[in-house]
Amino acid sequence: KPGTVLWAFDTVLDVVSSPAIGSGGTVYVGSGDYTVYALDGKTGAKKWEFETGQEMKSSPVIGAYGTVYIGSLDKKIYALDGATGLKKWEFNTGNHLYSSPAIGADGTIYVGSYARKIYALDGKTGAKKWEFKTGYPISFSSPAIGPDGIIYIGTGSILGGRKVYALEGATGAKKWEFETGDSVYSSPAIGSD
């Protein structure tokens, strides 16, 4: 029947992270219990789990070859093998990660950090390609990538900050910034034009 609960999985603590679904139907989600879970989409059975050093409010994204990328409040973004949960690499951003990563057409990972920085990382190795310093922390605003490769993201936290930035995806050079009336917690969306 519509609305029937098919399964439920108890993560012990709260889940702020939104789930991501892999091509094979596996559900990936981060939890307040410091753990990333991979669950069978049909049954809810746990396939694997990976523990980080803090809770996760960032949502996972799935890249090439099923790699799962997710940020943690332990200041790191992780790249995990989607099939096994084994860590491929980690990168320390210097402060909490609330922002969810975005993946460019070439596999570059873009993410904003509470450390007042936006990072571009090599999706295969985790090597830093560039970083851009903002005036204020990046909280829940996640990067949006335009068809021309431009990265859009907002800043804002309890410490202040009220800007939206547009950056060159290849270099991190600022194209423009726009000041809003208050902190930007939402993520940009890109229109058809």
Side-chain angles (χ1 to χ4, degrees):
K1 280 199 271 189
T4 301
V5 176
L6 298 177
W7 55 261
F9 182 85
D10 187 355
T11 67
V12 183
L13 291 176
D14 61 325
V15 175
V16 176
S17 170
S18 298
I21 302 173
S23 59
T26 300
V27 177
Y28 303 96
V29 67
S31 173
D33 64 6
Y34 300 15
T35 306
V36 183
Y37 293 96
L39 308 174
D40 185 295
K42 291 182 180 177
T43 67
K46 182 175 69 178
K47 292 186 169 186
W48 54 258
E49 63 180 56
F50 176 84
E51 190 171 322
T52 71
Q54 254 289 0
E55 62 184 303
M56 277 157 286
K57 297 183 185 287
S58 171
S59 298
V61 295
I62 304 168
Y65 309 109
T67 301
V68 176
Y69 302 94
I70 189 168
S72 172
L73 293 190
D74 69 3
K75 307 177 183 178
K76 296 176 183 176
I77 180 171
Y78 295 90
L80 308 175
D81 185 296
T84 65
L86 292 174
K87 183 176 69 179
K88 293 186 173 185
W89 53 260
E90 65 181 51
F91 179 84
N92 192 323
T93 67
N95 208 326
H96 302 316
L97 280 172
Y98 297 95
S99 176
S100 300
I103 305 174
D106 64 353
T108 299
I109 305 300
Y110 301 97
V111 70
S113 170
Y114 212 74
R116 306 175 188 226
K117 291 181 181 178
I118 300 162
Y119 292 95
L121 309 174
D122 184 298
K124 290 181 181 177
T125 67
K128 183 174 70 176
K129 291 186 170 186
W130 54 258
E131 66 179 55
F132 176 84
K133 291 185 178 182
T134 62
Y136 286 92
I138 297 161
S139 292
F140 288 100
S141 185
S142 298
I145 306 172
D148 53 2
I150 302 299
I151 309 302
Y152 304 92
I153 194 168
T155 63
S157 72
I158 57 171
L159 302 176
R162 52 189 186 193
K163 289 186 178 179
V164 175
Y165 289 93
L167 309 176
E168 291 281 357
T171 64
K174 183 174 72 176
K175 287 188 68 75
W176 52 259
E177 63 182 58
F178 177 81
E179 187 160 335
T180 65
D182 207 337
S183 295
V184 180
Y185 293 103
S186 69
S187 301
I190 299 171
S192 59
D193 60 352

